[in-house]
Amino acid sequence: MEELDRQLTADDKAEINKKVWSLVDALPQRDLIELSDARQWIGRVVELHGEQAIWHAIRLNGFGGSEIGVLVRNQHGVRADHMASAHDIVLGKLMRKIPDETNEHMTRGHENEEPHSRKFYKKYGAHRDLEAFGILSKAQGSLPWMRYSPDEVAMLPSKVLAATRPMAVERPMSRWLIDYKAPSKIEEDDEIHFQYGCQLAQGAILCEENGVEIHGLMLSQFDWAGWRLKDDVVEVGEELKHLVREAGNWAWNCVMTKQVPPYVRTPVLTDSEGFVAKHVDLAERLANVSALSKAADARAQELRAELLVGLDGRKLDGCKIVLPGAGALTANLKIDTEKLQAELKPEQLSKVTKKDGYDSAAMARHLKSLGVDLKQFKADKIDADKLAEHADSFGIDLEAYMAEQHVFKIDKPIKEEMERYIDTHFPLVAPAQAAADEPAADQFAEEPMAEAPRG
């Protein structure tokens, strides 16, 4: 989406408003849209997006490829990625929610599209099929809600992709439907995002219904950091196409009946006894290992302190002491900043300091000296219980703002058992020292080996 290139005049806005209103009045769901919602939506979208408001108004008459994957997942009770939801999509079609403001991800995708296509053409010796692209851009499907705005319909040499997508008929060039993406991070595995697959499936359906023969589907991701393309051939079966049609029908029925679907919530655990029965052994093993780790860390700190005593108060001065079979001992220089600032002269400090953020304590002292009330700079802390209480009235998806933080507390007996195990197998006193201090072993009856921790 393009940003506003110039300041809109009052006449510009009036003309855009007129065009948007004509599109809104022609919507199949127009009678279900409140006049106040339409006025607020149009006024705000024109103000935010300028001429792009016309494009947003066109999108109200159905679901595009970027929305269909969200609908498929939500219809089956699965939350979609990037906090998208059928709830918000349906609200948007009823003009009760304005489109999101253009962000860096949208801008990156839009502005990368042209260099992406040039790079794609060069990589494969491809070119755009202008006729097929034009047909698909204006395509109408058999389902009233189905819309698609193609990124690319390209002719590629068949031999380029013959290894991954054999052609049934010998032909020099093959027609491919391509979806261009410029995500913030490229996933290197062979799996592609399910919602991307749904988008290409919807494009494939419209190609079939409008007489555009395609020989393959591809997701082309622009790795703009590595300046390369990651291209994946996508196989779309009849089952996925069915899911796309089914989800679109479901959501469009929600629009046409003004029934906004609820946000998909993560189910709450109700059978705690069943959870315990299923996971008690796993929990015991987790407790053992966690307790062992904690006890081992405590002993490591004690052993480290004993090792440092061996330096006898002497510094390493940049030296590295290699301890065969154990590791190396080095030292970083730690500066007592407060002591330096108290004892060095200003001209001396200026030679050894650098700008590195703000001294919040000094700022607070200065503001206090000016008589400024520091209360106005205090940050509010969100009360999770109050947020849950008011989420519905705010019209927000609670789980987009909250997440459970699980805490695993180890039983005290298990901690003590692990500490005893550490004491037995990793004693603080070195074995040679212990042997010198104790009577000969043959004076005692043989004892069994210490029992290893359970689990």
Side-chain angles (χ1 to χ4, degrees), residues 163-347:
T164 58
R165 187 66 162 79
M167 300 301 161
V169 181
E170 276 294 326
R171 55 173 70 85
M173 302 292 285
S174 301
R175 186 178 298 105
W176 287 69
L177 178 63
I178 316 295
D179 193 15
Y180 292 146
K181 299 293 181 187
S184 55
K185 182 182 179 182
I186 299 290
E187 298 295 339
E188 293 299 333
D189 56 31
D190 294 332
E191 295 294 323
I192 72 158
H193 198 293
F194 175 77
Q195 290 172 208
Y196 291 163
C198 291
Q199 184 166 350
L200 281 166
Q202 181 154 313
I205 292 171
L206 281 169
C207 284
E208 291 172 5
E209 295 186 351
N210 287 269
V212 177
E213 182 185 13
I214 55 172
H215 308 116
L217 305 167
M218 185 186 295
L219 173 69
S220 180
Q221 299 181 78
F222 197 159
D223 179 4
W224 43 273
W227 203 246
R228 66 184 180 92
L229 301 183
K230 180 181 183 294
D231 301 324
D232 292 288
V233 175
V234 179
E235 297 291 342
V236 169
E238 292 304 315
E239 182 179 357
L240 183 56
K241 292 178 185 176
H242 173 72
L243 291 175
V244 164
R245 292 186 179 99
E246 188 179 55
N249 288 339
W250 162 72
W252 193 242
N253 181 66
C254 290
V255 173
M256 299 306 293
T257 57
K258 292 185 70 173
Q259 296 181 29
V260 179
Y263 287 117
V264 175
R265 305 294 191 196
T266 302
V268 176
L269 177 67
T270 55
D271 183 15
S272 58
E273 292 183 1
F275 180 86
V276 170
K278 184 177 180 181
H279 298 290
V280 64
D281 292 339
L282 174 61
E284 183 179 354
R285 280 184 283 139
L286 173 59
N288 287 342
V289 174
S290 298
L292 178 63
S293 173
K294 184 175 180 179
D297 183 63
R299 181 51 45 84
Q301 295 301 320
E302 294 169 344
L303 293 171
R304 179 180 181 276
E306 186 176 340
L307 179 65
L308 294 180
V309 168
L311 292 176
D312 196 22
R314 289 166 292 182
K315 64 179 183 180
L316 294 180
D317 197 27
C319 292
K320 179 180 181 180
I321 301 177
V322 177
L323 301 164
L329 183 62
T330 60
N332 294 321
L333 186 63
K334 184 178 180 180
I335 301 172
D336 189 336
T337 304
E338 292 185 2
K339 187 175 181 180
L340 277 175
Q341 290 174 336
E343 297 182 3
L344 292 186
K345 297 177 181 179
E347 60 269 21

Side-chain angles (χ1 to χ4, degrees), residues 53-64:
I54 297 171
W55 178 81
H56 283 295
I58 293 172
R59 283 173 57 88
L60 294 172
N61 69 358
F63 304 123

Side-chain angles (χ1 to χ4, degrees), residues 92-110:
K93 304 307 176 185
L94 293 171
M95 302 184 78
R96 289 164 53 188
K97 183 181 185 302
I98 65 170
D100 293 332
E101 294 188 47
T102 302
N103 57 34
E104 67 273 17
H105 304 295
M106 298 175 186
T107 302
R108 182 178 62 247
H110 176 75

Side-chain angles (χ1 to χ4, degrees), residues 349-400:
L349 280 172
S350 65
K351 295 179 181 179
V352 296
T353 57
K354 63 179 181 179
K355 301 296 183 185
D356 186 23
Y358 295 98
D359 184 339
S360 57
M363 292 173 67
R365 288 194 298 269
H366 178 64
L367 290 171
K368 283 183 178 179
S369 71
L370 297 175
V372 177
D373 185 359
L374 297 184
K375 289 182 180 179
Q376 61 182 306
F377 300 110
K378 286 187 175 181
D380 291 333
K381 184 177 180 180
I382 299 295
D383 185 315
D385 292 331
K386 289 183 178 179
L387 180 60
E389 180 184 346
H390 294 288
D392 288 340
S393 64
F394 290 171
I396 64 171
D397 180 1
L398 183 63
E399 291 195 22

